[in-house]
Amino acid sequence: MTVARLGLTLLLLLTVGVTRQACASHPSSVVEVQHDLRIVLHPATRELQAEDTLTTAGNSIVDLVLPAQFEIDQFTLNGQPVAPSADTDSEGLTHWRLAGEGTGTQRIFLRYHGQLATLPDTDHRGTLQGLPPMADVRGSFLPGGTGWYPQIQGRTFSYRLTLELPAGQRGLVPGRLIAETDDAQGYRATFDFPFPADGIDLLAGPYEVQQRWLAQQGTDPIRLRTWFHPEIRDLAKDYLDALNHYIEFYSRWIGEYPFSEFSVVSSPLQTGFGMPAMAYLGIDVLRLPFIRTTSLGHEVLHNWWGNGVYTDYETGNWSEGLTTFMADYTYKEQESAQAGREMRLSWLRDLAALPPGQDTTLRAFVARTHGSSQIVGYDKAAFVFLMLRDRLGTEAFDRALRAFWREQRFRRAGWLDLRHAFEQSSGIQLATFFEQWLTRSGLPKLRIENAAVEGNRIRVTVAQTEPVYVLQVPLVLESETGRETHVVELSALRKEFVIDATSAPTAVALDPDLRLARRLDSKELPPILRQVMIDAGTALVVATSKSGFQDAAQQLADKLLDSSPRIVDIAQPVPRGPLLLIGAAAEVDAYLEQHGLPPRPLQLRNRGSAQVWAATQPDGNALLIISAANAQALQSLQRPLPHYGRQSWLVFDGAKAIDRGVWPGESLSWRLTR
Ligand SMILES: [Zn+2]
């Protein structure tokens, strides 16, 4: 059997090695079974005692399952005892096939108990999927997918759950908190989840709870909570502030927040999960600043896309792309136009690097199974929403999102429903747009084939590879007085466009701002640190004579590179292939000059205690340079630098990156001569 694990998303925690994922299917919007659960958990002994009353309509046979590890104390159907079952499947689940009587409501009652598993090592990283229900005084986690409560196969359910814990422990499940007492006798709280649920995730620990109410116009206020271990209590205020901000931001943008609360809960494990109205994050993970500024917003937004409107997985998962666009990408756009462009560039770089065969279509994307499906399902999908907004305009785009939310809330919706919402708000037919971006793998490749100017008039021929896409192509005309953008529609393999500019153009560039999902030309991809970091053929040259510096350079190279480098003496000729050059400023500059390599960029001169930059050697091979004031400055880079593979350059002050960026790259342009 497969217990449906739904609406559960792993946070974007790439730097702590935790993966994201989406779920495999989602229930329909009709609730068929109601659970009334009472759970008593003793984390110290890992003992679980449970009672569940299930009500379900109709008299058809139901298949009820419970893991065989639990001992049944009492089991009745409509008050009549149910015989023990010997039917335990290969996954350790015991099945009972129960037939109701009459046509009314059937009532099933179960009382059971058992001992839960211990926590894995607290440095456990990565997905918690596949882990059993676990208990510990440091933190208990009963994942919804593990069936620690009775489940009726193939039926959607909602629940009410009362949780009892010993004094000093507190805990929760997704849902509205409707009663809570907390005293020397222990902790007791009741939660109500009236929507179709995708599993019940139960969390408990030695939490300090902090709470704030977020007032909403016209509806009840939203309860915001942090459930943090005492050692991170100081983070609570910042997290509550961030929650407040995100919920207000998305409520204004899309429509009312659909739940009555949101909780951020700390975990003794190094992990990150998003659930309806909840995020469960490792203690050390919560300390990372980008969790609050990016990942938390992404998870909050999933309460609209994914846990609010359910994804119709049969036609592809749109919710990760839309969430990435409206969270991760939007935060970059808010930061600056340049930061937005850098994110588009990194998406296109990843898409261009996908090996053939791993480049699936958006329609085939269901959940993240490996890196390449994430690149398509999250990043390419986000790019599709960006192109759509460019095409329709922000107003029509946002209007469609609000209508989609109004109409599809707590329903299952697919790409087609989104398409209809965008068509309705804009009056533009989008069948071709969606068809080409959802059903094709790969990306179109474009080029300027010819261009000529006559006065203010320019004739430019734009060509694309097969299969032919219909594309709105931005052409940027440069003249002595400035730049102007003209968007032309390319719907054939090649087409000549005649454009009248306001002043005589001197050059024309094709999509220099990277607003089209297209296969970039190699010259459009500026060098970044990662090219040298991941190349097994990288050679290391240390440009200094000081021995302490030599050791520090060697240690840094070990931390930075995926495989050990060939070490080449500074007196030798420049080794062929990718090169990592580490040294003191003066020696680095001398080496670069002596060997005809690109010099230190002006903007990095005399800044901070260390400068790092990527460049291209004259023969096209990648070059990475680390220039430090002294051995200690070099040592300080060991921890931070490996995280910056996507950057082109950085300036460090000790271990702190005080400035960084990506080189702009060249654009596909054509110089015009008269
Ligand atoms: Zn997500």
mmCIF file of all heavy atoms in Angstrom, residues 329-346:
data_model
loop_
_atom_site.group_PDB
_atom_site.id
_atom_site.type_symbol
_atom_site.label_atom_id
_atom_site.label_comp_id
_atom_site.label_asym_id
_atom_site.label_seq_id
_atom_site.Cartn_x
_atom_site.Cartn_y
_atom_site.Cartn_z
ATOM 1 N N TYR A 329 11.904 34.196 -6.739
ATOM 2 C CA TYR A 329 12.238 35.145 -7.799
ATOM 3 C C TYR A 329 11.764 36.560 -7.458
ATOM 4 O O TYR A 329 12.473 37.536 -7.691
ATOM 5 C CB TYR A 329 11.630 34.689 -9.132
ATOM 6 C CG TYR A 329 11.898 35.690 -10.231
ATOM 7 C CD1 TYR A 329 13.186 35.827 -10.748
ATOM 8 C CD2 TYR A 329 10.898 36.537 -10.695
ATOM 9 C CE1 TYR A 329 13.464 36.781 -11.719
ATOM 10 C CE2 TYR A 329 11.169 37.489 -11.663
ATOM 11 C CZ TYR A 329 12.451 37.601 -12.174
ATOM 12 O OH TYR A 329 12.728 38.552 -13.123
ATOM 13 N N THR A 330 10.583 36.656 -6.887
ATOM 14 C CA THR A 330 10.050 37.978 -6.559
ATOM 15 C C THR A 330 10.938 38.703 -5.556
ATOM 16 O O THR A 330 11.139 39.919 -5.650
ATOM 17 C CB THR A 330 8.609 37.826 -6.025
ATOM 18 O OG1 THR A 330 7.795 37.353 -7.092
ATOM 19 C CG2 THR A 330 8.050 39.141 -5.513
ATOM 20 N N TYR A 331 11.496 37.958 -4.584
ATOM 21 C CA TYR A 331 12.378 38.613 -3.606
ATOM 22 C C TYR A 331 13.617 39.174 -4.304
ATOM 23 O O TYR A 331 14.124 40.234 -3.932
ATOM 24 C CB TYR A 331 12.785 37.648 -2.487
ATOM 25 C CG TYR A 331 11.621 36.910 -1.852
ATOM 26 C CD1 TYR A 331 11.769 35.627 -1.340
ATOM 27 C CD2 TYR A 331 10.352 37.501 -1.771
ATOM 28 C CE1 TYR A 331 10.701 34.944 -0.777
ATOM 29 C CE2 TYR A 331 9.277 36.822 -1.218
ATOM 30 C CZ TYR A 331 9.456 35.539 -0.726
ATOM 31 O OH TYR A 331 8.399 34.863 -0.177
ATOM 32 N N LYS A 332 14.111 38.466 -5.320
ATOM 33 C CA LYS A 332 15.269 38.967 -6.077
ATOM 34 C C LYS A 332 14.894 40.225 -6.843
ATOM 35 O O LYS A 332 15.634 41.196 -6.871
ATOM 36 C CB LYS A 332 15.766 37.901 -7.057
ATOM 37 C CG LYS A 332 16.407 36.725 -6.401
ATOM 38 C CD LYS A 332 17.765 37.103 -5.822
ATOM 39 C CE LYS A 332 18.396 35.933 -5.117
ATOM 40 N NZ LYS A 332 19.557 36.316 -4.330
ATOM 41 N N GLU A 333 13.721 40.189 -7.477
ATOM 42 C CA GLU A 333 13.265 41.365 -8.220
ATOM 43 C C GLU A 333 13.105 42.569 -7.305
ATOM 44 O O GLU A 333 13.402 43.692 -7.675
ATOM 45 C CB GLU A 333 11.901 41.059 -8.858
ATOM 46 C CG GLU A 333 11.936 41.013 -10.345
ATOM 47 C CD GLU A 333 10.554 40.815 -10.945
ATOM 48 O OE1 GLU A 333 9.538 40.875 -10.207
ATOM 49 O OE2 GLU A 333 10.498 40.593 -12.158
ATOM 50 N N GLN A 334 12.622 42.315 -6.095
ATOM 51 C CA GLN A 334 12.454 43.411 -5.141
ATOM 52 C C GLN A 334 13.805 43.965 -4.709
ATOM 53 O O GLN A 334 13.936 45.147 -4.416
ATOM 54 C CB GLN A 334 11.681 42.927 -3.909
ATOM 55 C CG GLN A 334 10.205 42.685 -4.190
ATOM 56 C CD GLN A 334 9.488 42.013 -3.033
ATOM 57 O OE1 GLN A 334 10.100 41.332 -2.209
ATOM 58 N NE2 GLN A 334 8.178 42.202 -2.971
ATOM 59 N N GLU A 335 14.807 43.086 -4.668
ATOM 60 C CA GLU A 335 16.143 43.516 -4.263
ATOM 61 C C GLU A 335 16.707 44.481 -5.304
ATOM 62 O O GLU A 335 17.110 45.591 -4.978
ATOM 63 C CB GLU A 335 17.017 42.263 -4.123
ATOM 64 C CG GLU A 335 18.365 42.461 -3.509
ATOM 65 C CD GLU A 335 19.145 41.138 -3.531
ATOM 66 O OE1 GLU A 335 18.552 40.074 -3.195
ATOM 67 O OE2 GLU A 335 20.326 41.162 -3.908
ATOM 68 N N SER A 336 16.734 44.074 -6.552
ATOM 69 C CA SER A 336 17.193 44.963 -7.630
ATOM 70 C C SER A 336 16.940 44.280 -8.964
ATOM 71 O O SER A 336 16.807 43.059 -9.041
ATOM 72 C CB SER A 336 18.690 45.264 -7.498
ATOM 73 O OG SER A 336 19.451 44.106 -7.769
ATOM 74 N N ALA A 337 16.926 45.106 -10.034
ATOM 75 C CA ALA A 337 16.764 44.552 -11.378
ATOM 76 C C ALA A 337 17.923 43.614 -11.687
ATOM 77 O O ALA A 337 17.759 42.579 -12.333
ATOM 78 C CB ALA A 337 16.699 45.683 -12.398
ATOM 79 N N GLN A 338 19.098 43.966 -11.197
ATOM 80 C CA GLN A 338 20.280 43.151 -11.469
ATOM 81 C C GLN A 338 20.177 41.784 -10.782
ATOM 82 O O GLN A 338 20.524 40.755 -11.367
ATOM 83 C CB GLN A 338 21.519 43.891 -10.992
ATOM 84 C CG GLN A 338 22.799 43.250 -11.478
ATOM 85 C CD GLN A 338 24.013 43.753 -10.720
ATOM 86 O OE1 GLN A 338 24.044 44.891 -10.276
ATOM 87 N NE2 GLN A 338 25.009 42.889 -10.575
ATOM 88 N N ALA A 339 19.673 41.783 -9.545
ATOM 89 C CA ALA A 339 19.529 40.504 -8.834
ATOM 90 C C ALA A 339 18.521 39.613 -9.549
ATOM 91 O O ALA A 339 18.691 38.399 -9.629
ATOM 92 C CB ALA A 339 19.103 40.754 -7.388
ATOM 93 N N GLY A 340 17.466 40.211 -10.107
ATOM 94 C CA GLY A 340 16.481 39.444 -10.867
ATOM 95 C C GLY A 340 17.115 38.834 -12.108
ATOM 96 O O GLY A 340 16.914 37.660 -12.420
ATOM 97 N N ARG A 341 17.915 39.635 -12.802
ATOM 98 C CA ARG A 341 18.583 39.129 -14.005
ATOM 99 C C ARG A 341 19.543 38.002 -13.654
ATOM 100 O O ARG A 341 19.645 37.005 -14.376
ATOM 101 C CB ARG A 341 19.342 40.259 -14.707
ATOM 102 C CG ARG A 341 19.932 39.843 -16.052
ATOM 103 C CD ARG A 341 20.807 40.940 -16.649
ATOM 104 N NE ARG A 341 21.230 40.613 -18.007
ATOM 105 C CZ ARG A 341 22.283 39.847 -18.309
ATOM 106 N NH1 ARG A 341 23.000 39.297 -17.338
ATOM 107 N NH2 ARG A 341 22.600 39.621 -19.566
ATOM 108 N N GLU A 342 20.230 38.143 -12.533
ATOM 109 C CA GLU A 342 21.170 37.091 -12.135
ATOM 110 C C GLU A 342 20.454 35.776 -11.866
ATOM 111 O O GLU A 342 20.965 34.704 -12.167
ATOM 112 C CB GLU A 342 21.977 37.536 -10.902
ATOM 113 C CG GLU A 342 23.087 38.493 -11.279
ATOM 114 C CD GLU A 342 23.890 39.005 -10.089
ATOM 115 O OE1 GLU A 342 23.730 38.462 -8.978
ATOM 116 O OE2 GLU A 342 24.659 39.963 -10.285
ATOM 117 N N MET A 343 19.239 35.851 -11.297
ATOM 118 C CA MET A 343 18.509 34.613 -11.063
ATOM 119 C C MET A 343 18.063 33.994 -12.388
ATOM 120 O O MET A 343 18.170 32.787 -12.582
ATOM 121 C CB MET A 343 17.317 34.853 -10.137
ATOM 122 C CG MET A 343 16.576 33.560 -9.817
ATOM 123 S SD MET A 343 15.427 33.697 -8.437
ATOM 124 C CE MET A 343 16.368 32.926 -7.129
ATOM 125 N N ARG A 344 17.602 34.823 -13.317
ATOM 126 C CA ARG A 344 17.215 34.287 -14.636
ATOM 127 C C ARG A 344 18.417 33.649 -15.316
ATOM 128 O O ARG A 344 18.318 32.582 -15.920
ATOM 129 C CB ARG A 344 16.639 35.407 -15.516
ATOM 130 C CG ARG A 344 15.370 36.026 -14.959
ATOM 131 C CD ARG A 344 14.646 36.872 -15.996
ATOM 132 N NE ARG A 344 15.366 38.065 -16.413
ATOM 133 C CZ ARG A 344 15.377 39.226 -15.762
ATOM 134 N NH1 ARG A 344 14.697 39.361 -14.639
ATOM 135 N NH2 ARG A 344 16.045 40.265 -16.229
ATOM 136 N N LEU A 345 19.571 34.320 -15.201
ATOM 137 C CA LEU A 345 20.788 33.780 -15.805
ATOM 138 C C LEU A 345 21.153 32.434 -15.186
ATOM 139 O O LEU A 345 21.518 31.490 -15.888
ATOM 140 C CB LEU A 345 21.934 34.787 -15.622
ATOM 141 C CG LEU A 345 23.310 34.338 -16.095
ATOM 142 C CD1 LEU A 345 23.329 34.112 -17.600
ATOM 143 C CD2 LEU A 345 24.383 35.365 -15.719
ATOM 144 N N SER A 346 21.020 32.317 -13.867
ATOM 145 C CA SER A 346 21.402 31.042 -13.237
ATOM 146 C C SER A 346 20.424 29.932 -13.644
ATOM 147 O O SER A 346 20.820 28.794 -13.837
ATOM 148 C CB SER A 346 21.506 31.190 -11.722
ATOM 149 O OG SER A 346 20.228 31.244 -11.143
#
